[in-house]
Amino acid sequence: QVQLVESGGGVVQPGRSLRLSCAASGFTFKNYTAHWVRQAPGKGLEWVAAISYDGGNKYHADSVKGRFTISRDNSKNTLYLQMHSLRVEDTAVYYCARSFSDLILDYFDYWGQGTLVTVSS
Amino acid sequence: DIQMTQSPSTLSASIGDRVTITCRASQSISSWLAWYQQKPGKAPKLLIYKASSLASGVPSRFSGSGSGTEFTLTISSLQPDDFAPYYCQQYSTYPLTFGQGTKVEIK
């Protein structure tokens, strides 16, 4: 069955860096667009970044542009989010999500369980 | 950016009630709209895609309608498992955007 397992979250000071990983299994990872979506405590969902099936196209929300970078390693079935210059307002549960297809624009049909990132001094 | 606005923000209802949640887009998104349900401490779950298509395994009491800028999610007969927040999301263009959520509470 499709599984997405995030890791790499934790407590980090403002201005520091962190890299999140999402291990995919149960499907052919290289055939699907993938995303990061976050949810601040008690708040709604915010899309963060997307990457095409082959890594050739990437999109980032304005709120993280220039600080976060999405990437993937299809040989390892893993999605990444490199986060630099972290801010208190980046505190959230970060979910990886699979797009329904290889189209760059599609809905999310599977989500991971999320990993909590807390930015605090 | 396309703004997605849900109403109401909170909805109080009883078991067996028919409930409707509205989602409005700030510009036309055709039918590129999905609905998700999120239980506390869990990841969102896909309910509806392409505005009105029921996702696999989702009970038929859930339905979606609309196109362009106005969409609705309807639960025909509310069940105990349905009390949760619901989010709409457009996938017409980047940045992808979500509505602020509608919390369905027990009356």
Side-chain angles (χ1 to χ4, degrees):
Chain A
Q1 72 281 20
V2 172
Q3 278 202 307
L4 298 166
V5 180
E6 302 93 336
S7 60
V11 180
V12 61
Q13 292 179 326
R16 304 299 291 264
S17 299
L18 204 61
R19 187 177 83 158
L20 305 182
S21 300
C22 173
S25 61
F27 66 102
T28 306
F29 179 66
K30 65 180 181 179
N31 289 350
Y32 294 86
T33 295
H35 302 259
W36 289 98
V37 177
R38 69 184 180 183
Q39 187 169 37
K43 302 296 185 183
L45 300 166
E46 179 188 16
W47 170 80
V48 173
I51 186 167
S52 59
Y53 67 98
D54 61 355
N57 290 289
K58 301 178 185 181
Y59 299 82
H60 297 83
D62 285 347
S63 58
V64 306
K65 204 169 288 183
R67 300 187 300 122
F68 292 11
T69 302
I70 191 172
S71 63
R72 65 192 296 161
D73 186 336
N74 286 342
S75 68
K76 294 182 179 178
N77 293 333
T78 303
L79 177 72
Y80 301 101
L81 185 67
Q82 179 67 56
M83 304 185 292
H84 295 297
S85 302
L86 281 159
R87 304 168 180 168
V88 171
E89 55 265 35
D90 295 320
T91 294
V93 173
Y94 285 74
Y95 296 101
C96 69
R98 190 187 85 164
S99 264
F100 175 69
S101 69
D102 63 348
L103 296 176
I104 196 60
L105 283 166
D106 218 334
Y107 55 91
F108 311 129
D109 61 349
Y110 286 96
W111 299 63
Q113 84 289 350
T115 187
L116 176 62
V117 173
T118 303
V119 184
S120 173
S121 54
Chain B
D1 298 3
I2 298 176
Q3 308 300 319
M4 306 300 292
T5 304
Q6 287 181 234
S7 60
S9 295
T10 305
L11 190 160
S12 297
S14 302
I15 302 296
D17 283 354
R18 179 183 181 89
V19 302
T20 298
I21 300 169
T22 298
C23 177
R24 289 186 174 87
S26 60
Q27 64 189 73
S28 178
I29 57 170
S30 185
S31 295
W32 306 121
L33 184 99
W35 289 95
Y36 303 89
Q37 176 196 64
Q38 187 176 29
K39 295 291 181 68
K42 300 291 187 181
K45 172 190 172 184
L46 176 68
L47 298 176
I48 301 286
Y49 62 95
K50 209 172 179 184
S52 60
S53 296
L54 195 66
S56 177
V58 174
S60 59
R61 63 181 180 273
F62 290 92
S63 63
S65 65
S67 66
T69 62
E70 188 144 341
F71 303 86
T72 59
L73 172 71
T74 299
I75 309 173
S76 61
S77 178
L78 204 60
Q79 298 302 301
D81 193 47
D82 301 339
F83 292 97
Y86 293 82
Y87 296 91
C88 62
Q89 178 239 333
Q90 67 81 17
Y91 54 100
S92 173
T93 189
Y94 283 99
L96 306 181
T97 46
F98 290 89
Q100 81 279 14
T102 294
K103 188 174 181 181
V104 176
E105 295 183 331
I106 300 174
K107 193 171 186 179

